[in-house]
Amino acid sequence: MDAFKGKFERTSAEKYEDFLKALDVNMLLRKAATVSTPTVEISEEGGVWTIKTSTTLKSMELKFKLGEEFEETTADGRQVSAVVTFEDGKIITVQKAKKDGQKSTKSIREMNGADELVYTMTIDGMDDLTCVQKFKRV
């Protein structure tokens, strides 16, 4: 997982607004999210991994130990039980919604070469919608 350590800046986002809309994110927040250029910083200390996502409006920090379930409030406000694993060279995050009517998601982070991070997100039960964001190492 050491290949993921470092700081990355988003270079593209495919179907991101559609993805946010499917999660019932309001239009104002969707617009803010799609026009921003977030940076992602991935680090690890003592077995605890941190993925910090920052924009001019907001910063979110995800701290986890691989394979250990934890409670999380997502950026769009969903209460989820989450678990992060490392499989086949990919960081896989599964977020299970705790409230009826809210959606569960899966995201996969993988490296494409040494300097491009590809972040793919899906929503359970919506197989036709895949959001792909790409980030370059800075």
Side-chain angles (χ1 to χ4, degrees), residues 67-136:
E68 288 187 13
E69 188 173 86
F70 59 97
E71 305 302 306
E72 178 188 6
T73 301
T74 64
D76 56 275
R78 291 173 296 125
Q79 300 286 323
V80 300
S81 291
V83 66
V84 182
T85 55
F86 188 65
E87 301 169 35
D88 298 323
K90 301 172 184 178
I91 299 173
I92 300 173
T93 306
V94 175
Q95 298 172 322
K96 294 287 180 197
K98 295 171 75 174
K99 289 185 182 174
D100 286 344
Q102 291 190 337
K103 296 177 175 74
S104 298
T105 60
K106 179 178 181 179
S107 63
I108 299 171
R109 292 175 174 89
E110 57 191 310
M111 295 302 297
N112 179 21
D115 294 323
E116 184 178 57
L117 174 68
V118 180
Y119 182 37
T120 304
M121 297 180 288
T122 55
I123 299 171
D124 287 6
M126 298 185 76
D127 298 337
D128 58 336
L129 178 59
T130 300
C131 172
V132 178
Q133 298 185 52
K134 294 184 178 179
F135 295 78
K136 68 176 179 191

Side-chain angles (χ1 to χ4, degrees), residues 26-94:
N26 74 50
M27 189 172 69
L28 188 62
L29 289 176
R30 284 198 316 266
K31 290 297 179 196
T34 54
V35 300
S36 67
T37 304
T39 58
V40 173
E41 194 162 357
I42 301 174
S43 59
E44 179 265 339
E45 188 174 315
V48 177
W49 287 85
T50 302
I51 299 177
K52 183 177 181 182
T53 305
S54 305
T55 67
T56 51
L57 296 174
K58 189 176 188 173
S59 288
M60 293 285 300
E61 194 168 85
L62 180 65
K63 285 185 177 281
F64 59 90
K65 285 187 176 181
L66 288 174
E68 288 187 13
E69 188 173 86
F70 59 97
E71 305 302 306
E72 178 188 6
T73 301
T74 64
D76 56 275
R78 291 173 296 125
Q79 300 286 323
V80 300
S81 291
V83 66
V84 182
T85 55
F86 188 65
E87 301 169 35
D88 298 323
K90 301 172 184 178
I91 299 173
I92 300 173
T93 306
V94 175

